[in-house]
Amino acid sequence: MSYCPPYAPFFGFAGVSSAMVFSTVGAAYGTSKAGIGIAGLGTFKPELIMKSLIPVVMSGIIAVYGLVVSVLIAGGLTPQGYSLFAGFVHLGAGLSCGFTGLAAGYAIGIVGDSCVRAYVHESKVFVTMVLILIFAEVLGLYGLIVALLMNTRATGEGPCL
Amino acid sequence: MSAQVAPARVVDQAANGGVLIKLIIFSLSLAIVPISMYFGSLKYVWNGNSTYAAMSAIFAANIVLVSYIIVSILEDRPAVATVDETKKSR
């Protein structure tokens, strides 16, 4: 059994696509769920719309995390000399970034929806909302850090014997 | 009553127009800045070390987020000041 079978890039490309796809699913959920609350707020207080769009911007950042990890992993894929170990490492990196982005986007959506609805009635909820959203965003950042750490293990020439 | 409402409406429309421009600028920067930062720093700053380039891109994306939060907080301040002035002028 060779260390570099021809099906090894399958796992690498699966890592690239899973990083982008799952983090985008999380970002889409966050954007849509927060957008429901923002539409509710916009009918009562349209001057608060710029502040209430912060959950949407944070969901966009989650998608940017997935994008950067995809580009990072795709930069390390080669047709020849690509070991199965590198394929699994890239798959793990993509999945860790993707699923943590899904979790972070889910949290941002629910928190953003509830907090912008409360912001109509009480303006001091704004600081609380930003703090909770930052904690939810950091979940995606942890997945990105693990993906970066894993990706550094896959660089270098694999022993293709 | 209408004399007080009309300037408020003009200020509202000016504020709404400014909001759209700001949102467009931030959307474009959130799309363009991280990826350009990744490829730019990969080529010119870090000499091919892709991990540091990814960290720079994420740092730039978070800078865009923080600047958006600051701009949205600062947008409120002048509106509060004009409301106080109209209350004092009565």
Side-chain angles (χ1 to χ4, degrees):
Chain A
M1 180 94 180
S2 156
Y3 283 125
C4 301
Y7 52 83
F10 169 77
F11 297 104
F13 283 114
V16 171
S17 59
S18 64
M20 193 67 237
V21 164
F22 292 122
S23 63
T24 308
V25 170
Y29 184 83
T31 304
S32 56
K33 197 84 163 69
I36 294 173
I38 294 167
L41 172 142
T43 57
F44 293 111
K45 288 195 178 178
E47 64 270 10
L48 297 178
I49 283 181
M50 183 100 177
K51 275 184 165 184
S52 62
L53 276 172
I54 287 176
V56 175
V57 176
M58 287 195 158
S59 299
I61 297 279
I62 294 291
V64 166
Y65 289 168
L67 175 71
V68 169
V69 168
S70 296
V71 170
L72 177 73
I73 296 174
L77 296 172
T78 56
Q80 279 89 29
Y82 188 72
S83 62
L84 194 58
F85 172 76
F88 287 145
V89 167
H90 285 153
L91 177 67
L95 285 176
S96 79
C97 180
F99 279 116
T100 53
L102 185 63
Y106 184 73
I108 288 174
I110 293 181
V111 165
D113 183 24
S114 309
C115 281
V116 298
R117 284 182 205 271
Y119 187 49
V120 176
H121 306 291
E122 174 63 58
S123 64
K124 287 184 183 175
V125 170
F126 179 71
V127 176
T128 305
M129 176 178 84
V130 172
L131 278 174
I132 299 176
L133 286 175
I134 286 174
F135 275 103
E137 169 112 4
V138 163
L139 300 176
L141 189 67
Y142 292 157
L144 175 111
I145 290 171
V146 169
L148 288 183
L149 280 172
M150 290 178 79
N151 188 55
T152 58
R153 300 283 297 157
T155 55
E157 294 293 321
C160 286
L161 298 172
Chain B
M1 177 65 186
S2 62
Q4 290 169 354
V5 168
R9 278 188 188 159
V10 169
V11 168
D12 275 347
Q13 284 175 2
N16 290 334
V19 166
L20 186 60
I21 293 294
K22 281 181 202 169
L23 288 176
I24 288 174
I25 289 173
F26 275 105
S27 304
L28 287 176
S29 63
L30 193 58
I32 294 172
V33 163
I35 276 296
S36 58
M37 188 76 177
Y38 175 80
F39 285 114
S41 64
L42 182 69
K43 189 171 179 187
Y44 295 115
V45 179
W46 303 115
N47 294 322
N49 190 343
S50 57
T51 305
Y52 291 160
M55 287 192 223
S56 316
I58 294 304
F59 184 70
N62 282 302
I63 292 290
V64 172
L65 172 70
V66 168
S67 64
Y68 179 82
I69 292 177
I70 291 173
V71 165
S72 71
I73 290 175
L74 286 178
E75 192 199 32
D76 252 5
R77 299 284 173 83
V80 171
T82 53
V83 165
D84 289 338
E85 285 171 7
T86 53
K87 282 182 183 171
K88 284 176 189 171
S89 64
R90 282 184 193 168

